[in-house]
Amino acid sequence: MNILYGVQGTGQGHISRARAMAQALAAWPVDVTWLFSGRPREALFDMELFGDFVYRRGLTFSTSAGKLRYMSTTFNNNVPRFLQDARQLDLDAFDLIVCDYEPVVARAAAKARRDVIGIGHQYAFGPTTPRAGTSWLQETIMSRFAPVTTPIGLHWHPYADNVLPPILDLPPLALEQGEHMLVYLPFEDQKAVTKVLQQFPGWKFVQYSPALQNEQQGNVSLRKADVTGFKQHLATCSGVICNSGFELISECLQWRKPVLTKPLDGQMEQHSNALALSQLGYATTIASLDALALAQWLAQPKVTANIQFPDVAAGLARWLAAGANTPPEDLSRQLWGARALNRIPAPRPGAPLGVVA
């Protein structure tokens, strides 16, 4: 069976999911062609697992200083090039088409009137999923950016019957509560983040970003983004400070790492994630990263979620290799039922940002 698997590469979360899926699919007699878009090809790193992958420019979102910038997003995207790439993408050789919120594959499949399976966090936003910071424009962009015929969402709670637990890309590392806090805020001004962290000289921080170079600045170890080093620091940290992207926080929950999270300003998905985390009691959410918010969190007892997600990548790989012939709802019931959880928390309606969950 030949599978085309498109992945949105703007952020690392989609690629992390793809790594887990690539390893799981390797156990089955399938031939997977990976297509990545959303950032310059030279900015993709640690991609050896995907072999001779296909690259297209695609569409992306522009951010600066912790805020989504709609004007620069509009001007930085080349829509005619995107439409041409989608029109020229040949789908005839593929038995299954899969999309993790990747617009070139989604549009090419729609134009060819081919079914496409969407696997990703964005496909979990049904009518009962927590929403915050939403607007007509953002709802329209989310629904039309990479539309699919079979949406399979990923979330921390079974908000709908097409929603699965998270796909996790976690290596077999020894877990410990080390001395350092891991900081990953790639959408923020990195100098401003470092300045806030340096106001707490009694704490050690490891700050990762693609924009940084490896160096020490007082109590802050600056690290250029790389998968291996990041996962090692995640496994041994005492807590994580991050934006409200889905994948990293899912990994923190699985490894029981306390989380302080700030949603990307103007990004509905991240504000909705922060609301869901507050309602579920899974993390502490803040509206902005400043010395006061950080001091309050550092002074608190670090409470972690008592949760263990199943191997969703293995379940999805088995389902895809069998031709995706059974309803996604069956897979959802199977995977949520298999969780080794002591509790399935009931969301608390209306938990606001800034409230310790």
Side-chain angles (χ1 to χ4, degrees):
M1 177 184 292
N2 294 323
I3 300 174
L4 175 63
Y5 205 126
V7 181
Q8 168 63 251
T10 299
Q12 279 301 113
H14 300 269
I15 298 177
S16 291
R17 285 198 292 272
R19 293 183 197 283
M21 289 303 301
Q23 295 177 58
L25 286 165
W28 296 93
V30 295
D31 185 6
V32 184
T33 297
W34 296 93
L35 183 150
F36 293 88
S37 73
R39 76 169 88 168
R41 185 181 186 121
E42 62 272 15
L44 296 168
F45 57 92
D46 295 332
M47 300 292 286
E48 295 79 11
L49 181 63
F50 303 109
D52 188 19
F53 65 87
V54 178
Y55 172 79
R56 295 291 185 272
R57 176 170 174 168
L59 300 173
T60 191
F61 300 97
S62 297
T63 64
S64 66
K67 184 177 179 62
L68 181 62
R69 305 293 178 178
Y70 285 100
M71 189 64 70
S72 58
T73 293
T74 301
F75 286 111
N76 289 338
N77 280 306
N78 187 331
V79 176
R81 169 72 177 276
F82 160 69
L83 295 174
Q84 180 182 15
D85 285 345
R87 185 171 58 251
Q88 294 178 347
L89 185 62
D90 187 0
L91 305 178
D92 290 344
F94 301 106
D95 304 297
L96 283 181
I97 302 170
V98 183
C99 169
D100 185 339
Y101 209 54
E102 198 292 307
V104 176
V105 167
R107 182 170 181 83
K111 182 175 177 58
R113 297 184 179 180
R114 291 286 304 273
D115 290 335
V116 56
I117 300 167
I119 300 175
H121 180 53
Q122 288 80 4
Y123 302 117
F125 280 83
T128 60
T129 306
R131 276 175 160 79
T134 187
S135 66
W136 174 86
L137 176 61
Q138 294 208 39
E139 292 280 357
T140 301
I141 291 172
M142 176 175 280
S143 64
R144 297 184 180 180
F145 187 82
V148 297
T149 55
T150 304
I152 299 178
L154 306 169
H155 218 305
W156 302 305
H157 190 80
Y159 292 108
D161 57 8
N162 73 317
V163 174
L164 310 183
I167 296 172
L168 300 170
D169 176 35
L170 291 174
L173 297 174
L175 303 181
E176 60 181 89
Q177 298 295 316
E179 296 182 350
H180 67 274
M181 290 285 178
L182 179 62
V183 181
Y184 184 62
L185 295 160
F187 303 114
E188 310 292 323
D189 181 322
Q190 297 305 304
K191 291 183 178 179
V193 171
T194 304
K195 186 176 180 180
V196 172
L197 301 177
Q198 288 176 333
Q199 296 181 53
F200 300 88
W203 292 84
K204 296 180 180 179
F205 300 95
V206 180
Q207 179 182 346
Y208 271 88
S209 169
L212 295 174
Q213 297 298 323
N214 295 343
E215 61 176 307
Q216 191 74 29
Q217 291 192 10
N219 62 321
V220 184
S221 298
L222 304 182
R223 292 290 182 270
K224 185 175 181 62
D226 80 274
V227 174
T228 301
F230 185 85
K231 299 291 187 184
Q232 290 174 340
H233 279 112
L234 177 61
T236 57
C237 73
S238 58
V240 176
I241 303 167
C242 61
N243 289 122
S244 302
F246 178 70
E247 192 64 23
L248 174 56
I249 292 177
S250 298
E251 296 173 353
C252 293
L253 295 176
Q254 187 79 348
W255 275 357
R256 302 198 69 179
K257 301 296 181 179
V259 174
L260 176 68
T261 182
K262 173 202 172 294
L264 174 62
D265 192 16
Q267 218 272 14
M268 183 268 283
E269 180 196 348
Q270 291 213 3
H271 280 276
S272 299
N273 288 345
L275 176 60
L277 289 165
S278 290
Q279 291 180 350
L280 292 165
Y282 282 174
T284 302
T285 61
I286 54 175
S288 62
L289 181 68
D290 53 37
L292 177 59
L294 184 53
Q296 290 177 341
W297 185 67
L298 291 173
Q300 297 168 357
K302 300 298 181 291
V303 179
T304 59
N306 187 13
I307 190 168
Q308 192 72 27
F309 295 114
D311 191 343
V312 176
L316 273 169
R318 184 185 306 110
W319 183 73
L320 292 171
N325 291 321
T326 57
E329 293 82 358
D330 293 349
L331 188 60
S332 176
R333 284 192 294 270
Q334 172 193 346
L335 289 170
W336 285 110
R339 293 196 298 185
L341 294 176
N342 290 334
R343 64 185 179 96
I344 300 178
R348 295 184 294 109
L353 295 181
V355 172
V356 178

